[in-house]
Amino acid sequence: MKLATGVFLAALLTGAAHAQTNAGEQKTDPGLPFTMTKVASFDLPWRIAFLPDGRMLVTEKVGRVDLVTPLGAKTEIAGVPPSYVEGQNGMLGVFLSPHYATDHSVYLTYVAPGDYGGGLTLGRGRLVLDDGKQPRLDGFKVLWRQMPSGKGGQAGAQIAFSPDGKYLFLTVGDRQRFTPAQDPNQPEGKILRLTLDGKPAPGNPWAGKVGARTIPLIDPAEDTEKAKTAPVVSTYTFPGPNLTPAETWATGFRTPYGLAFAPDGRLWELEHGPRGGDELNLIQRGKNYGWPLVSYGVNYNGVSIPSPDTRPDLAKPVIYWVPVIAPGNLMFYKGSAFPQWNGSALIGGLASEAIVRVTFDGKGGAKAVQRWDIGKRVRDIEEAPDGSLWMLEDAAPGGLYHLMPK
């Protein structure tokens, strides 16, 4: 166990320097290597989590979590907390505990309603599946909450559990407010490393440090420049210590919708850029990934943003996309149904309506090698226990599709 933990930490702390690759002009591969069968429909589905028996939990952004069979039969889960549904906010992620076989715990990430807008929230409950009774989450408890609540989408809300099963990494988006992503006192635009109970994890780069007792809140700004002088709409005073610095693993992210560990123990993050500049980042302890100081894209209104090439002190993406693919998620394939993809990552594309396959060199480098036109906005792709793939379509209604090799 000590050896495995050492290898895991070494992978997180080290990495070779690689030239940045723009995969935005990657050509679409002819034909699909899989069949796609629609098995169910949902109202804005977001994430899939597979149970050991092949059934799955599916979140719907409108506030529901469903238990779904491989044949498409759906049952709503009881005991799910209320969510703040607006734009990109709502019920988002669902993840099985790394010790699910013994604790039956399920983690949810969602935007909870607050006095003003909402705040990203991480919670956990015990999944109870009694024959003949409605499935439910018992004893659901909030483990971490973004404070203060506020407006703006791009919550992030992705979890990756460390390979040793002891910690979780949580992505927190910038909520379209830009500047808080560089403020060490605010969780926006950060990747947090927490215990399984939502506390600051030992060994974090700023472990034991506390932040400012009072922080400002701004509404979403028009662009990166106007965010610098955006009016403060309110201030928030923490009732106790501000633990944001102690929770933070890395900083400077915009819309981190993908987070996953590669088979070699390295942690990878995937995010939306603005107009251009989607990023695949190799995550390392204490690094600053630049948002909103730099980007390979520009603001939606055309206002320019300095290139990452102007800031050698900031971590650069390994792959970026100009034009964008608008990524939905990131997963590493480990199954046998598509053996030629073992160790590859699959990325779902929203605006691009595509699936992208990425390979890795084991030294911190990555390459986008295939891209398939799906014709649907791909919110999530996940691997079932049998190695087949399942895909969620971002739409209302959006489909759940089963992907099998041809």
Side-chain angles (χ1 to χ4, degrees):
M1 179 60 74
K2 289 182 178 179
L3 176 61
T5 301
V7 171
F8 155 64
L9 288 175
L12 288 179
L13 298 174
T14 62
H18 291 268
Q20 284 62 55
T21 302
N22 180 13
E25 299 290 353
Q26 182 182 10
K27 301 300 182 184
T28 300
D29 284 51
L32 298 179
F34 43 74
T35 60
M36 295 174 51
T37 304
K38 185 176 181 179
V39 299
S41 294
F42 298 88
D43 193 354
L44 290 171
W46 194 275
R47 285 288 180 265
I48 303 170
F50 274 96
L51 300 176
D53 64 6
R55 290 182 292 178
M56 62 201 92
L57 304 176
V58 176
T59 56
E60 296 178 271
K61 191 167 67 66
V62 295
R64 291 186 293 271
V65 182
D66 301 294
L67 177 66
V68 187
T69 71
L71 296 179
K74 301 184 296 184
T75 307
E76 185 174 353
I77 302 286
V80 171
S83 52
Y84 170 71
V85 181
E86 182 200 35
Q88 298 176 48
N89 301 310
M91 181 59 61
L92 303 176
V94 57
F95 311 89
L96 296 193
S97 161
H99 312 293
Y100 179 82
T102 55
D103 64 21
H104 289 214
S105 290
V106 172
Y107 289 78
L108 298 179
T109 56
Y110 57 102
V111 179
D115 295 334
Y116 182 72
L120 177 63
T121 302
L122 165 71
R124 181 181 62 196
R126 184 175 184 273
L127 182 62
V128 179
L129 301 174
D130 292 335
D131 291 339
K133 296 182 180 179
Q134 183 180 12
R136 66 188 187 274
L137 286 179
D138 271 0
F140 189 86
K141 181 182 179 181
V142 170
L143 303 177
W144 181 90
R145 188 190 301 273
Q146 177 187 18
M147 296 299 292
S149 61
K151 294 187 176 180
Q154 302 179 175
Q158 192 67 12
I159 288 177
F161 293 100
S162 60
D164 61 11
K166 293 182 178 180
Y167 305 107
L168 66 84
F169 293 75
L170 171 67
T171 67
V172 185
D174 80 335
R175 300 295 304 276
Q176 299 169 298
R177 301 177 207 159
F178 303 99
T179 52
Q182 290 294 325
D183 183 352
N185 301 299
Q186 301 188 52
E188 289 86 355
K190 312 294 190 300
I191 293 177
L192 309 182
R193 178 171 171 264
L194 308 172
T195 69
L196 299 184
D197 295 325
K199 307 300 182 185
N204 283 352
W206 299 279
K209 295 188 176 182
V210 296
R213 186 71 184 273
T214 300
I215 59 174
L217 178 66
I218 64 172
D219 276 343
E222 188 176 347
D223 55 56
T224 53
E225 291 302 310
K226 290 188 176 180
K228 297 175 182 177
T229 56
V232 175
V233 295
S234 67
T235 58
Y236 176 77
T237 300
F238 288 86
N242 177 0
L243 299 178
T244 300
E247 297 167 339
T248 300
W249 183 259
T251 190
F253 304 98
R254 183 177 182 268
T255 315
Y257 280 160
L259 190 72
F261 279 95
D264 65 5
R266 288 180 170 87
L267 181 61
W268 294 85
E269 177 265 349
L270 183 70
E271 68 181 81
H272 286 238
R275 261 176 53 189
D278 293 346
E279 296 182 1
L280 178 67
N281 289 297
L282 174 61
I283 300 304
Q284 295 175 275
R285 180 182 187 271
K287 291 291 185 72
N288 186 336
Y289 289 80
W291 181 256
L293 304 176
V294 295
S295 175
Y296 283 115
V298 300
N299 286 286
Y300 290 118
N301 59 7
V303 172
S304 63
I305 304 172
S307 167
D309 300 332
T310 66
R311 292 291 301 268
D313 56 316
L314 302 175
K316 294 181 181 180
V318 177
I319 300 175
Y320 67 95
W321 284 266
V322 179
V324 301
I325 56 170
N329 82 312
L330 168 72
M331 60 84 71
F332 283 88
Y333 185 76
K334 303 172 185 176
S336 58
F338 300 90
Q340 69 277 24
W341 297 350
N342 226 286
S344 297
L346 297 178
I347 293 171
L350 296 164
S352 57
E353 299 187 340
I355 294 176
V356 176
R357 185 169 75 91
V358 176
T359 58
F360 299 81
D361 63 10
K363 301 177 182 178
K367 181 180 180 181
V369 294
Q370 288 181 293
R371 177 169 170 170
W372 298 287
D373 182 3
I374 301 299
K376 303 179 188 301
R377 290 171 56 87
V378 184
R379 174 60 70 182
D380 193 18
I381 311 169
E382 299 294 343
E383 180 184 332
D386 65 2
S388 64
L389 293 168
W390 292 73
M391 182 189 90
L392 288 178
E393 174 193 12
D394 180 63
L400 169 67
Y401 291 84
H402 190 197
L403 280 55
M404 290 289 290
K406 285 185 175 178

